[in-house]
Amino acid sequence: MEMITRPRRLRSSENLRRMVRETRMDPSSLMYPMFVMEGTDKVEEISSMPGQYRYTVDRMEEKLYRLADAGVGSVMLFGIPNDKDEVGSGAYAENGIVQQALQKAKQAVPNLFYVSDVCMCEYTSHGHCGILHGHDVDNDKTLDYLAKIAVSQVQAGSDMVAPSDMMDGRVAAIREGLDRNGYTNTPIMSYAVKYASAFYGPFRDAADSAPAFGDRKTYQMDYHNSREGIKEALLDVEEGADIIMVKPAMSFLDMVARVREVVDVPVATYSVSGEYAMVKAAAANGWIDEERIICEMAVSAYRAGTNIYETYFAEEVARFMKEGRIG
């Protein structure tokens, strides 16, 4: 039998496989989500996310040093305040928990790039991502608050803001607010394609951000829809988004690929808490090889077209890249 084309030729050795590898990865493209809480001298493990912790500001340095040493490029900060109210005032307070964390982190480990989540769900007494009108989130009234949050975070040292609320028009409102205050060079990474997903469950435990009533399906996307996601991504680019986020990652890599094809800005994806929790639970039962699964999940995101991979496994993935196991 004569065969001219034999794909296996390029798989015959490790050196050759690495030489022709289509997907290349670097630790600098990794982003780690970090939870900071009020108080002192506390590190609390998150029960639904074994190996992940909430840190008080005075205890976050050790983790930041490890991330920097591993080569991870950036950290996204999520705040957990002691007190909440109807308008989420802790999110834009000068001495809010994220503002405190940004100031401390920038001083302690300045070579990391710090991103701040712009949302209200962790700070509102009702757990929704905006200002309520009855039992509905008032989209347009919320925009002023989101812009105020973004400006406050940048004033505290945030290198980039990441609105995750899914209000219509919020990128334009934040861009206008930042520019008006002199922050024309601060980029916006928009959670443009964020689905109403069951994969967020452990995060809501970690951030104490579950809604007190109802759900978020009137503002987060229906996971049956893909064309709608393209519309959201293009709208946010028009409004000034510098990076487009697709969330979650694992079940929505088709959207990463589709968004990558239509936008001319970098694309990010977030491997969310539910993905992490499933891997840890299955590995604890001996059902999977945890390290190999982590590698496959990361590679699949990059293969789909992501430029930035946000994951709770960022430190591990960076190590695997340096060891040559992936990337």
Side-chain angles (χ1 to χ4, degrees), residues 4 33 39 43-44 49 62 72 75 77 79 83 98 106 109 119-120 125-126 149 167 214 249 254 289 294 309 323-324:
I4 295 174
V43 177
E44 296 178 354
M49 300 177 68
E62 182 180 345
V72 173
V75 173
L77 294 172
D83 300 312
V98 162
K106 295 277 284 192
V109 191
C119 197
M120 301 179 70
S125 52
H126 46 75
I149 294 167
M167 297 299 118
D254 61 315
D289 183 323
I294 293 170
Y309 185 49
E323 293 173 354

Side-chain angles (χ1 to χ4, degrees), residues 12-176:
S12 59
S13 72
E14 176 63 19
N15 284 343
L16 183 55
R17 289 192 295 271
R18 291 181 62 83
M19 185 187 302
V20 300
R21 185 166 288 168
E22 297 174 16
T23 303
R24 303 284 179 175
M25 302 151 61
D26 185 88
S28 63
S29 64
L30 294 168
M31 182 179 294
Y32 178 73
M34 188 171 190
F35 300 98
V36 290
M37 62 183 177
E38 298 195 54
T40 57
D41 196 27
K42 291 182 181 178
V43 177
E44 296 178 354
E45 188 168 26
I46 300 163
S47 60
S48 56
M49 300 177 68
Q52 298 300 309
Y53 301 86
R54 304 180 193 90
Y55 301 86
T56 53
V57 171
D58 60 328
R59 292 292 304 275
M60 61 190 294
E61 286 183 42
E62 182 180 345
K63 180 64 174 180
L64 293 175
Y65 283 130
R66 291 204 307 269
L67 291 166
D69 288 345
V72 173
S74 58
V75 173
M76 183 181 287
L77 294 172
F78 296 91
I80 307 167
N82 284 341
D83 300 312
K84 306 185 180 194
D85 57 33
E86 287 289 306
V87 296
S89 60
Y92 52 84
E94 184 178 350
N95 64 339
I97 182 59
V98 162
Q99 287 78 359
Q100 294 179 46
L102 283 165
Q103 293 169 14
K104 178 69 171 179
K106 295 277 284 192
Q107 181 182 41
V109 191
N111 54 320
L112 283 170
F113 188 85
Y114 293 99
V115 184
S116 50
D117 175 67
V118 178
C119 197
M120 301 179 70
C121 61
E122 300 107 307
Y123 302 90
T124 55
S125 52
H126 46 75
H128 279 282
C129 301
I131 304 301
L132 291 185
H133 180 75
H135 275 195
D136 295 322
V137 174
D138 187 325
N139 187 97
D140 294 6
K141 189 172 182 179
T142 299
L143 300 183
D144 291 338
Y145 286 84
L146 296 172
K148 187 186 296 187
I149 294 167
V151 170
S152 173
Q153 292 174 345
V154 175
Q155 288 173 338
S158 179
D159 296 307
M160 181 165 68
V161 293
S164 60
D165 55 283
M166 288 299 287
M167 297 299 118
D168 294 339
R170 88 271 207 217
V171 172
I174 291 170
R175 184 74 273 158
E176 194 277 332

